[in-house]
Amino acid sequence: VAAANTERPFFAQLKSGELLILPAGSYTTYKDSINTALAGNIILLKNGLINSISQGTDMAKTRHPRTAVGFNSEKGQAVVIEVDGRQPSVSNGASYLDLISIFRDFGCTDMINLDGGGSSTAIIRKADGTYELQNSPSDKSMRSVQDSIFIILND
């Protein structure tokens, strides 16, 4: 972990492999156990329950491009989802309730919304080692962002 996270909730993988979504201010409690962590902006699901404080705001109700991560606490499987938005010919995006529904469909009990909007970008590395954009960013091109999630699949 490069820097302490004290002001935002975050997704963490502990050194034990356990996945957690933790509230702001809990970094110091877990800092010695964290393998990697990524800050988000709001916890939407915790132990299968919807975080009710997130549902009344315009940000919650309006469909936007979204990036979020969640997991199934029983199986320990992580799910990362990127939703395009603000492009009627591609996608209108997702509200928080839309996002929660998608994650529940994948069996997730916990999830956190990450940076979205024009920062929502999905890229894969192809077999030949080149990288390819997989979505349609709402800014019409890739944005330079601070946080990234790298998913490495072992053969």
mmCIF file of all heavy atoms in Angstrom, residues 51-102:
data_model
loop_
_atom_site.group_PDB
_atom_site.id
_atom_site.type_symbol
_atom_site.label_atom_id
_atom_site.label_comp_id
_atom_site.label_asym_id
_atom_site.label_seq_id
_atom_site.Cartn_x
_atom_site.Cartn_y
_atom_site.Cartn_z
ATOM 1 N N ASN A 51 -26.569 -0.026 1.404
ATOM 2 C CA ASN A 51 -26.225 1.139 2.208
ATOM 3 C C ASN A 51 -27.254 2.218 1.914
ATOM 4 O O ASN A 51 -27.196 2.877 0.890
ATOM 5 C CB ASN A 51 -24.809 1.602 1.850
ATOM 6 C CG ASN A 51 -24.388 2.828 2.616
ATOM 7 O OD1 ASN A 51 -25.128 3.364 3.428
ATOM 8 N ND2 ASN A 51 -23.191 3.284 2.338
ATOM 9 N N SER A 52 -28.204 2.418 2.805
ATOM 10 C CA SER A 52 -29.334 3.317 2.549
ATOM 11 C C SER A 52 -28.934 4.775 2.380
ATOM 12 O O SER A 52 -29.638 5.524 1.726
ATOM 13 C CB SER A 52 -30.378 3.194 3.661
ATOM 14 O OG SER A 52 -29.826 3.586 4.895
ATOM 15 N N ILE A 53 -27.807 5.214 2.953
ATOM 16 C CA ILE A 53 -27.435 6.618 2.828
ATOM 17 C C ILE A 53 -27.070 6.990 1.395
ATOM 18 O O ILE A 53 -27.037 8.146 1.035
ATOM 19 C CB ILE A 53 -26.272 7.002 3.767
ATOM 20 C CG1 ILE A 53 -25.003 6.246 3.415
ATOM 21 C CG2 ILE A 53 -26.647 6.824 5.215
ATOM 22 C CD1 ILE A 53 -23.752 6.802 4.064
ATOM 23 N N SER A 54 -26.831 6.005 0.549
ATOM 24 C CA SER A 54 -26.416 6.290 -0.822
ATOM 25 C C SER A 54 -27.588 6.466 -1.775
ATOM 26 O O SER A 54 -27.400 6.866 -2.907
ATOM 27 C CB SER A 54 -25.521 5.162 -1.331
ATOM 28 O OG SER A 54 -26.280 3.964 -1.461
ATOM 29 N N GLN A 55 -28.802 6.184 -1.346
ATOM 30 C CA GLN A 55 -29.898 6.108 -2.297
ATOM 31 C C GLN A 55 -30.639 7.413 -2.559
ATOM 32 O O GLN A 55 -31.324 7.530 -3.551
ATOM 33 C CB GLN A 55 -30.898 5.036 -1.841
ATOM 34 C CG GLN A 55 -30.265 3.666 -1.700
ATOM 35 C CD GLN A 55 -29.454 3.250 -2.892
ATOM 36 O OE1 GLN A 55 -29.891 3.377 -4.032
ATOM 37 N NE2 GLN A 55 -28.248 2.769 -2.671
ATOM 38 N N GLY A 56 -30.491 8.420 -1.711
ATOM 39 C CA GLY A 56 -31.286 9.627 -1.868
ATOM 40 C C GLY A 56 -30.648 10.744 -2.661
ATOM 41 O O GLY A 56 -31.284 11.753 -2.933
ATOM 42 N N THR A 57 -29.404 10.612 -3.050
ATOM 43 C CA THR A 57 -28.708 11.702 -3.716
ATOM 44 C C THR A 57 -28.890 11.663 -5.231
ATOM 45 O O THR A 57 -29.214 10.626 -5.804
ATOM 46 C CB THR A 57 -27.198 11.633 -3.416
ATOM 47 O OG1 THR A 57 -26.674 10.453 -4.015
ATOM 48 C CG2 THR A 57 -26.927 11.626 -1.923
ATOM 49 N N ASP A 58 -28.669 12.814 -5.878
ATOM 50 C CA ASP A 58 -28.722 12.847 -7.340
ATOM 51 C C ASP A 58 -27.682 11.923 -7.949
ATOM 52 O O ASP A 58 -27.928 11.271 -8.954
ATOM 53 C CB ASP A 58 -28.498 14.275 -7.851
ATOM 54 C CG ASP A 58 -29.729 15.147 -7.669
ATOM 55 O OD1 ASP A 58 -30.839 14.595 -7.509
ATOM 56 O OD2 ASP A 58 -29.578 16.375 -7.690
ATOM 57 N N MET A 59 -26.477 11.847 -7.333
ATOM 58 C CA MET A 59 -25.432 10.966 -7.838
ATOM 59 C C MET A 59 -25.893 9.508 -7.807
ATOM 60 O O MET A 59 -25.584 8.730 -8.685
ATOM 61 C CB MET A 59 -24.151 11.125 -7.017
ATOM 62 C CG MET A 59 -23.015 10.230 -7.474
ATOM 63 S SD MET A 59 -22.531 10.423 -9.199
ATOM 64 C CE MET A 59 -21.557 11.884 -9.116
ATOM 65 N N ALA A 60 -26.675 9.147 -6.808
ATOM 66 C CA ALA A 60 -27.164 7.776 -6.681
ATOM 67 C C ALA A 60 -28.236 7.459 -7.714
ATOM 68 O O ALA A 60 -28.266 6.371 -8.282
ATOM 69 C CB ALA A 60 -27.716 7.547 -5.276
ATOM 70 N N LYS A 61 -29.112 8.426 -7.980
ATOM 71 C CA LYS A 61 -30.258 8.186 -8.851
ATOM 72 C C LYS A 61 -29.933 8.322 -10.334
ATOM 73 O O LYS A 61 -30.554 7.681 -11.170
ATOM 74 C CB LYS A 61 -31.373 9.172 -8.505
ATOM 75 C CG LYS A 61 -31.953 8.984 -7.132
ATOM 76 C CD LYS A 61 -32.986 10.063 -6.856
ATOM 77 C CE LYS A 61 -33.518 9.982 -5.460
ATOM 78 N NZ LYS A 61 -34.460 11.062 -5.163
ATOM 79 N N THR A 62 -28.983 9.179 -10.670
ATOM 80 C CA THR A 62 -28.658 9.461 -12.064
ATOM 81 C C THR A 62 -27.766 8.367 -12.631
ATOM 82 O O THR A 62 -26.862 7.885 -11.963
ATOM 83 C CB THR A 62 -27.958 10.830 -12.175
ATOM 84 O OG1 THR A 62 -28.776 11.810 -11.554
ATOM 85 C CG2 THR A 62 -27.717 11.207 -13.623
ATOM 86 N N ARG A 63 -28.026 8.018 -13.874
ATOM 87 C CA ARG A 63 -27.177 7.021 -14.534
ATOM 88 C C ARG A 63 -25.906 7.692 -15.038
ATOM 89 O O ARG A 63 -25.968 8.709 -15.727
ATOM 90 C CB ARG A 63 -27.927 6.368 -15.690
ATOM 91 C CG ARG A 63 -29.038 5.484 -15.189
ATOM 92 C CD ARG A 63 -29.716 4.766 -16.306
ATOM 93 N NE ARG A 63 -30.549 3.730 -15.725
ATOM 94 C CZ ARG A 63 -31.325 2.948 -16.425
ATOM 95 N NH1 ARG A 63 -31.367 3.058 -17.737
ATOM 96 N NH2 ARG A 63 -32.047 2.041 -15.829
ATOM 97 N N HIS A 64 -24.776 7.124 -14.653
ATOM 98 C CA HIS A 64 -23.454 7.614 -15.015
ATOM 99 C C HIS A 64 -22.573 6.437 -15.405
ATOM 100 O O HIS A 64 -22.874 5.298 -15.060
ATOM 101 C CB HIS A 64 -22.787 8.316 -13.819
ATOM 102 C CG HIS A 64 -23.410 9.600 -13.404
ATOM 103 N ND1 HIS A 64 -23.290 10.758 -14.139
ATOM 104 C CD2 HIS A 64 -24.155 9.911 -12.321
ATOM 105 C CE1 HIS A 64 -23.936 11.731 -13.531
ATOM 106 N NE2 HIS A 64 -24.475 11.244 -12.424
ATOM 107 N N PRO A 65 -21.439 6.713 -16.071
ATOM 108 C CA PRO A 65 -20.439 5.657 -16.225
ATOM 109 C C PRO A 65 -19.974 5.285 -14.807
ATOM 110 O O PRO A 65 -19.822 6.154 -13.955
ATOM 111 C CB PRO A 65 -19.304 6.322 -16.995
ATOM 112 C CG PRO A 65 -19.907 7.548 -17.610
ATOM 113 C CD PRO A 65 -21.007 7.969 -16.698
ATOM 114 N N ARG A 66 -19.780 4.000 -14.567
ATOM 115 C CA ARG A 66 -19.409 3.535 -13.232
ATOM 116 C C ARG A 66 -18.319 2.473 -13.315
ATOM 117 O O ARG A 66 -18.260 1.701 -14.270
ATOM 118 C CB ARG A 66 -20.589 2.898 -12.504
ATOM 119 C CG ARG A 66 -21.861 3.705 -12.467
ATOM 120 C CD ARG A 66 -21.894 4.669 -11.340
ATOM 121 N NE ARG A 66 -23.212 5.315 -11.266
ATOM 122 C CZ ARG A 66 -23.503 6.291 -10.473
ATOM 123 N NH1 ARG A 66 -22.590 6.768 -9.651
ATOM 124 N NH2 ARG A 66 -24.697 6.824 -10.466
ATOM 125 N N THR A 67 -17.490 2.449 -12.304
ATOM 126 C CA THR A 67 -16.552 1.359 -12.093
ATOM 127 C C THR A 67 -16.702 0.964 -10.639
ATOM 128 O O THR A 67 -16.740 1.825 -9.756
ATOM 129 C CB THR A 67 -15.095 1.780 -12.377
ATOM 130 O OG1 THR A 67 -15.015 2.274 -13.722
ATOM 131 C CG2 THR A 67 -14.151 0.602 -12.231
ATOM 132 N N ALA A 68 -16.822 -0.320 -10.382
ATOM 133 C CA ALA A 68 -17.033 -0.790 -9.018
ATOM 134 C C ALA A 68 -16.394 -2.158 -8.846
ATOM 135 O O ALA A 68 -16.139 -2.869 -9.814
ATOM 136 C CB ALA A 68 -18.528 -0.859 -8.709
ATOM 137 N N VAL A 69 -16.147 -2.497 -7.591
ATOM 138 C CA VAL A 69 -15.598 -3.808 -7.259
ATOM 139 C C VAL A 69 -16.400 -4.371 -6.094
ATOM 140 O O VAL A 69 -16.856 -3.635 -5.218
ATOM 141 C CB VAL A 69 -14.085 -3.731 -6.937
ATOM 142 C CG1 VAL A 69 -13.815 -2.893 -5.710
ATOM 143 C CG2 VAL A 69 -13.468 -5.107 -6.779
ATOM 144 N N GLY A 70 -16.600 -5.666 -6.139
ATOM 145 C CA GLY A 70 -17.321 -6.338 -5.069
ATOM 146 C C GLY A 70 -16.825 -7.754 -4.932
ATOM 147 O O GLY A 70 -15.938 -8.194 -5.659
ATOM 148 N N PHE A 71 -17.420 -8.472 -3.999
ATOM 149 C CA PHE A 71 -17.040 -9.868 -3.826
ATOM 150 C C PHE A 71 -18.143 -10.641 -3.127
ATOM 151 O O PHE A 71 -19.033 -10.069 -2.504
ATOM 152 C CB PHE A 71 -15.714 -10.000 -3.069
ATOM 153 C CG PHE A 71 -15.751 -9.469 -1.661
ATOM 154 C CD1 PHE A 71 -16.139 -10.263 -0.597
ATOM 155 C CD2 PHE A 71 -15.392 -8.159 -1.408
ATOM 156 C CE1 PHE A 71 -16.177 -9.763 0.693
ATOM 157 C CE2 PHE A 71 -15.420 -7.648 -0.122
ATOM 158 C CZ PHE A 71 -15.813 -8.456 0.931
ATOM 159 N N ASN A 72 -18.062 -11.950 -3.279
ATOM 160 C CA ASN A 72 -18.928 -12.872 -2.583
ATOM 161 C C ASN A 72 -18.161 -13.317 -1.348
ATOM 162 O O ASN A 72 -17.118 -13.963 -1.469
ATOM 163 C CB ASN A 72 -19.253 -14.061 -3.490
ATOM 164 C CG ASN A 72 -20.117 -15.095 -2.808
ATOM 165 O OD1 ASN A 72 -19.833 -15.521 -1.697
ATOM 166 N ND2 ASN A 72 -21.178 -15.492 -3.477
ATOM 167 N N SER A 73 -18.639 -12.957 -0.158
ATOM 168 C CA SER A 73 -17.891 -13.225 1.068
ATOM 169 C C SER A 73 -17.725 -14.715 1.347
ATOM 170 O O SER A 73 -16.732 -15.112 1.940
ATOM 171 C CB SER A 73 -18.542 -12.517 2.262
ATOM 172 O OG SER A 73 -19.882 -12.914 2.405
ATOM 173 N N GLU A 74 -18.668 -15.546 0.918
ATOM 174 C CA GLU A 74 -18.551 -16.986 1.146
ATOM 175 C C GLU A 74 -17.527 -17.626 0.217
ATOM 176 O O GLU A 74 -16.775 -18.506 0.615
ATOM 177 C CB GLU A 74 -19.905 -17.664 0.966
ATOM 178 C CG GLU A 74 -20.886 -17.337 2.068
ATOM 179 C CD GLU A 74 -22.219 -18.021 1.870
ATOM 180 O OE1 GLU A 74 -22.316 -18.967 1.057
ATOM 181 O OE2 GLU A 74 -23.178 -17.604 2.537
ATOM 182 N N LYS A 75 -17.487 -17.191 -1.031
ATOM 183 C CA LYS A 75 -16.590 -17.790 -2.014
ATOM 184 C C LYS A 75 -15.254 -17.060 -2.127
ATOM 185 O O LYS A 75 -14.307 -17.593 -2.680
ATOM 186 C CB LYS A 75 -17.264 -17.824 -3.386
ATOM 187 C CG LYS A 75 -18.494 -18.697 -3.438
ATOM 188 C CD LYS A 75 -19.108 -18.692 -4.819
ATOM 189 C CE LYS A 75 -20.348 -19.559 -4.867
ATOM 190 N NZ LYS A 75 -20.969 -19.517 -6.196
ATOM 191 N N GLY A 76 -15.191 -15.812 -1.658
ATOM 192 C CA GLY A 76 -13.960 -15.037 -1.761
ATOM 193 C C GLY A 76 -13.624 -14.642 -3.184
ATOM 194 O O GLY A 76 -12.476 -14.376 -3.502
ATOM 195 N N GLN A 77 -14.630 -14.593 -4.057
ATOM 196 C CA GLN A 77 -14.414 -14.235 -5.461
ATOM 197 C C GLN A 77 -14.698 -12.753 -5.675
ATOM 198 O O GLN A 77 -15.750 -12.258 -5.301
ATOM 199 C CB GLN A 77 -15.338 -15.049 -6.377
ATOM 200 C CG GLN A 77 -15.075 -16.534 -6.316
ATOM 201 C CD GLN A 77 -16.133 -17.322 -7.068
ATOM 202 O OE1 GLN A 77 -17.292 -16.951 -7.128
ATOM 203 N NE2 GLN A 77 -15.707 -18.434 -7.625
ATOM 204 N N ALA A 78 -13.738 -12.061 -6.302
ATOM 205 C CA ALA A 78 -13.912 -10.638 -6.606
ATOM 206 C C ALA A 78 -14.579 -10.464 -7.960
ATOM 207 O O ALA A 78 -14.386 -11.267 -8.874
ATOM 208 C CB ALA A 78 -12.567 -9.935 -6.591
ATOM 209 N N VAL A 79 -15.350 -9.397 -8.084
ATOM 210 C CA VAL A 79 -16.007 -9.026 -9.331
ATOM 211 C C VAL A 79 -15.700 -7.553 -9.585
ATOM 212 O O VAL A 79 -15.903 -6.718 -8.695
ATOM 213 C CB VAL A 79 -17.537 -9.233 -9.259
ATOM 214 C CG1 VAL A 79 -18.226 -8.726 -10.508
ATOM 215 C CG2 VAL A 79 -17.876 -10.702 -8.997
ATOM 216 N N VAL A 80 -15.193 -7.234 -10.771
ATOM 217 C CA VAL A 80 -14.929 -5.859 -11.166
ATOM 218 C C VAL A 80 -15.809 -5.564 -12.371
ATOM 219 O O VAL A 80 -15.820 -6.326 -13.333
ATOM 220 C CB VAL A 80 -13.447 -5.645 -11.532
ATOM 221 C CG1 VAL A 80 -13.201 -4.204 -11.964
ATOM 222 C CG2 VAL A 80 -12.541 -6.026 -10.377
ATOM 223 N N ILE A 81 -16.537 -4.453 -12.299
ATOM 224 C CA ILE A 81 -17.453 -4.102 -13.389
ATOM 225 C C ILE A 81 -17.212 -2.658 -13.809
ATOM 226 O O ILE A 81 -17.072 -1.764 -12.977
ATOM 227 C CB ILE A 81 -18.924 -4.290 -12.964
ATOM 228 C CG1 ILE A 81 -19.186 -5.783 -12.735
ATOM 229 C CG2 ILE A 81 -19.880 -3.707 -13.989
ATOM 230 C CD1 ILE A 81 -20.567 -6.095 -12.256
ATOM 231 N N GLU A 82 -17.171 -2.459 -15.120
ATOM 232 C CA GLU A 82 -17.097 -1.121 -15.715
ATOM 233 C C GLU A 82 -18.352 -0.965 -16.561
ATOM 234 O O GLU A 82 -18.658 -1.830 -17.369
ATOM 235 C CB GLU A 82 -15.829 -0.993 -16.566
ATOM 236 C CG GLU A 82 -15.627 0.377 -17.189
ATOM 237 C CD GLU A 82 -16.456 0.618 -18.439
ATOM 238 O OE1 GLU A 82 -16.695 -0.326 -19.215
ATOM 239 O OE2 GLU A 82 -16.884 1.764 -18.634
ATOM 240 N N VAL A 83 -19.088 0.125 -16.357
ATOM 241 C CA VAL A 83 -20.302 0.411 -17.121
ATOM 242 C C VAL A 83 -20.083 1.708 -17.886
ATOM 243 O O VAL A 83 -19.768 2.742 -17.283
ATOM 244 C CB VAL A 83 -21.528 0.554 -16.185
ATOM 245 C CG1 VAL A 83 -22.779 0.901 -16.989
ATOM 246 C CG2 VAL A 83 -21.745 -0.696 -15.357
ATOM 247 N N ASP A 84 -20.226 1.657 -19.197
ATOM 248 C CA ASP A 84 -20.146 2.876 -19.998
ATOM 249 C C ASP A 84 -21.377 3.743 -19.724
ATOM 250 O O ASP A 84 -22.396 3.256 -19.235
ATOM 251 C CB ASP A 84 -20.098 2.545 -21.494
ATOM 252 C CG ASP A 84 -18.754 2.008 -21.932
ATOM 253 O OD1 ASP A 84 -17.750 2.273 -21.253
ATOM 254 O OD2 ASP A 84 -18.706 1.330 -22.974
ATOM 255 N N GLY A 85 -21.308 5.013 -20.089
ATOM 256 C CA GLY A 85 -22.447 5.895 -19.887
ATOM 257 C C GLY A 85 -22.283 7.221 -20.593
ATOM 258 O O GLY A 85 -21.253 7.483 -21.214
ATOM 259 N N ARG A 86 -23.339 8.043 -20.499
ATOM 260 C CA ARG A 86 -23.397 9.376 -21.120
ATOM 261 C C ARG A 86 -23.247 9.317 -22.637
ATOM 262 O O ARG A 86 -22.778 10.264 -23.257
ATOM 263 C CB ARG A 86 -22.345 10.307 -20.520
ATOM 264 C CG ARG A 86 -22.523 10.555 -19.046
ATOM 265 C CD ARG A 86 -21.526 11.556 -18.518
ATOM 266 N NE ARG A 86 -21.569 11.550 -17.073
ATOM 267 C CZ ARG A 86 -20.503 11.618 -16.296
ATOM 268 N NH1 ARG A 86 -19.300 11.734 -16.815
ATOM 269 N NH2 ARG A 86 -20.626 11.596 -14.997
ATOM 270 N N GLN A 87 -23.623 8.190 -23.215
ATOM 271 C CA GLN A 87 -23.540 7.995 -24.661
ATOM 272 C C GLN A 87 -24.776 7.220 -25.107
ATOM 273 O O GLN A 87 -24.750 5.990 -25.128
ATOM 274 C CB GLN A 87 -22.279 7.206 -25.033
ATOM 275 C CG GLN A 87 -20.990 7.871 -24.577
ATOM 276 C CD GLN A 87 -19.817 6.935 -24.758
ATOM 277 O OE1 GLN A 87 -19.284 6.828 -25.848
ATOM 278 N NE2 GLN A 87 -19.424 6.254 -23.693
ATOM 279 N N PRO A 88 -25.869 7.914 -25.435
ATOM 280 C CA PRO A 88 -27.115 7.215 -25.763
ATOM 281 C C PRO A 88 -26.975 6.118 -26.813
ATOM 282 O O PRO A 88 -27.684 5.114 -26.755
ATOM 283 C CB PRO A 88 -28.029 8.345 -26.256
ATOM 284 C CG PRO A 88 -27.496 9.556 -25.566
ATOM 285 C CD PRO A 88 -26.008 9.361 -25.489
ATOM 286 N N SER A 89 -26.042 6.255 -27.735
ATOM 287 C CA SER A 89 -25.879 5.216 -28.760
ATOM 288 C C SER A 89 -25.103 4.003 -28.233
ATOM 289 O O SER A 89 -25.085 2.957 -28.869
ATOM 290 C CB SER A 89 -25.168 5.774 -29.994
ATOM 291 O OG SER A 89 -23.856 6.194 -29.647
ATOM 292 N N VAL A 90 -24.466 4.147 -27.051
ATOM 293 C CA VAL A 90 -23.677 3.059 -26.457
ATOM 294 C C VAL A 90 -24.320 2.580 -25.159
ATOM 295 O O VAL A 90 -24.673 1.420 -25.009
ATOM 296 C CB VAL A 90 -22.225 3.513 -26.183
ATOM 297 C CG1 VAL A 90 -21.425 2.420 -25.497
ATOM 298 C CG2 VAL A 90 -21.549 3.954 -27.470
ATOM 299 N N SER A 91 -24.455 3.489 -24.202
ATOM 300 C CA SER A 91 -25.007 3.166 -22.887
ATOM 301 C C SER A 91 -25.340 4.456 -22.160
ATOM 302 O O SER A 91 -24.632 5.448 -22.280
ATOM 303 C CB SER A 91 -23.982 2.372 -22.073
ATOM 304 O OG SER A 91 -24.435 2.193 -20.740
ATOM 305 N N ASN A 92 -26.424 4.418 -21.396
ATOM 306 C CA ASN A 92 -26.792 5.563 -20.566
ATOM 307 C C ASN A 92 -26.118 5.521 -19.206
ATOM 308 O O ASN A 92 -26.210 6.465 -18.446
ATOM 309 C CB ASN A 92 -28.306 5.615 -20.385
ATOM 310 C CG ASN A 92 -29.008 5.984 -21.669
ATOM 311 O OD1 ASN A 92 -28.502 6.774 -22.452
ATOM 312 N ND2 ASN A 92 -30.159 5.382 -21.901
ATOM 313 N N GLY A 93 -25.470 4.415 -18.872
ATOM 314 C CA GLY A 93 -24.816 4.283 -17.581
ATOM 315 C C GLY A 93 -25.664 3.506 -16.607
ATOM 316 O O GLY A 93 -26.592 2.797 -16.978
ATOM 317 N N ALA A 94 -25.356 3.649 -15.324
ATOM 318 C CA ALA A 94 -26.053 2.917 -14.270
ATOM 319 C C ALA A 94 -26.234 3.818 -13.060
ATOM 320 O O ALA A 94 -25.356 4.610 -12.724
ATOM 321 C CB ALA A 94 -25.253 1.673 -13.879
ATOM 322 N N SER A 95 -27.380 3.693 -12.407
ATOM 323 C CA SER A 95 -27.592 4.337 -11.112
ATOM 324 C C SER A 95 -26.952 3.438 -10.063
ATOM 325 O O SER A 95 -26.519 2.321 -10.355
ATOM 326 C CB SER A 95 -29.092 4.480 -10.829
ATOM 327 O OG SER A 95 -29.664 3.190 -10.614
ATOM 328 N N TYR A 96 -26.905 3.882 -8.823
ATOM 329 C CA TYR A 96 -26.378 3.024 -7.761
ATOM 330 C C TYR A 96 -27.222 1.758 -7.619
ATOM 331 O O TYR A 96 -26.690 0.664 -7.446
ATOM 332 C CB TYR A 96 -26.332 3.765 -6.429
ATOM 333 C CG TYR A 96 -25.194 4.742 -6.268
ATOM 334 C CD1 TYR A 96 -25.194 5.652 -5.224
ATOM 335 C CD2 TYR A 96 -24.105 4.768 -7.131
ATOM 336 C CE1 TYR A 96 -24.160 6.551 -5.041
ATOM 337 C CE2 TYR A 96 -23.065 5.663 -6.963
ATOM 338 C CZ TYR A 96 -23.102 6.555 -5.913
ATOM 339 O OH TYR A 96 -22.077 7.444 -5.731
ATOM 340 N N LEU A 97 -28.553 1.895 -7.705
ATOM 341 C CA LEU A 97 -29.403 0.699 -7.594
ATOM 342 C C LEU A 97 -29.183 -0.252 -8.762
ATOM 343 O O LEU A 97 -29.216 -1.474 -8.580
ATOM 344 C CB LEU A 97 -30.873 1.090 -7.468
ATOM 345 C CG LEU A 97 -31.284 1.640 -6.102
ATOM 346 C CD1 LEU A 97 -32.736 2.116 -6.122
ATOM 347 C CD2 LEU A 97 -31.078 0.614 -5.000
ATOM 348 N N ASP A 98 -28.965 0.287 -9.967
ATOM 349 C CA ASP A 98 -28.637 -0.569 -11.118
ATOM 350 C C ASP A 98 -27.367 -1.363 -10.825
ATOM 351 O O ASP A 98 -27.297 -2.571 -11.061
ATOM 352 C CB ASP A 98 -28.400 0.259 -12.386
ATOM 353 C CG ASP A 98 -29.622 0.982 -12.906
ATOM 354 O OD1 ASP A 98 -30.756 0.524 -12.652
ATOM 355 O OD2 ASP A 98 -29.432 2.018 -13.581
ATOM 356 N N LEU A 99 -26.369 -0.670 -10.330
ATOM 357 C CA LEU A 99 -25.076 -1.287 -10.037
ATOM 358 C C LEU A 99 -25.214 -2.367 -8.962
ATOM 359 O O LEU A 99 -24.664 -3.466 -9.090
ATOM 360 C CB LEU A 99 -24.098 -0.200 -9.601
ATOM 361 C CG LEU A 99 -22.622 -0.409 -9.832
ATOM 362 C CD1 LEU A 99 -22.302 -0.741 -11.277
ATOM 363 C CD2 LEU A 99 -21.844 0.825 -9.401
ATOM 364 N N ILE A 100 -25.960 -2.071 -7.919
ATOM 365 C CA ILE A 100 -26.200 -3.049 -6.859
ATOM 366 C C ILE A 100 -26.865 -4.293 -7.431
ATOM 367 O O ILE A 100 -26.481 -5.422 -7.112
ATOM 368 C CB ILE A 100 -27.041 -2.429 -5.725
ATOM 369 C CG1 ILE A 100 -26.214 -1.398 -4.952
ATOM 370 C CG2 ILE A 100 -27.615 -3.492 -4.801
ATOM 371 C CD1 ILE A 100 -27.031 -0.489 -4.048
ATOM 372 N N SER A 101 -27.845 -4.114 -8.297
ATOM 373 C CA SER A 101 -28.545 -5.241 -8.915
ATOM 374 C C SER A 101 -27.595 -6.110 -9.736
ATOM 375 O O SER A 101 -27.651 -7.346 -9.668
ATOM 376 C CB SER A 101 -29.681 -4.704 -9.798
ATOM 377 O OG SER A 101 -30.346 -5.760 -10.424
ATOM 378 N N ILE A 102 -26.716 -5.474 -10.494
ATOM 379 C CA ILE A 102 -25.741 -6.222 -11.296
ATOM 380 C C ILE A 102 -24.839 -7.046 -10.381
ATOM 381 O O ILE A 102 -24.608 -8.236 -10.625
ATOM 382 C CB ILE A 102 -24.900 -5.263 -12.168
ATOM 383 C CG1 ILE A 102 -25.768 -4.595 -13.238
ATOM 384 C CG2 ILE A 102 -23.728 -6.006 -12.808
ATOM 385 C CD1 ILE A 102 -25.107 -3.406 -13.932
#
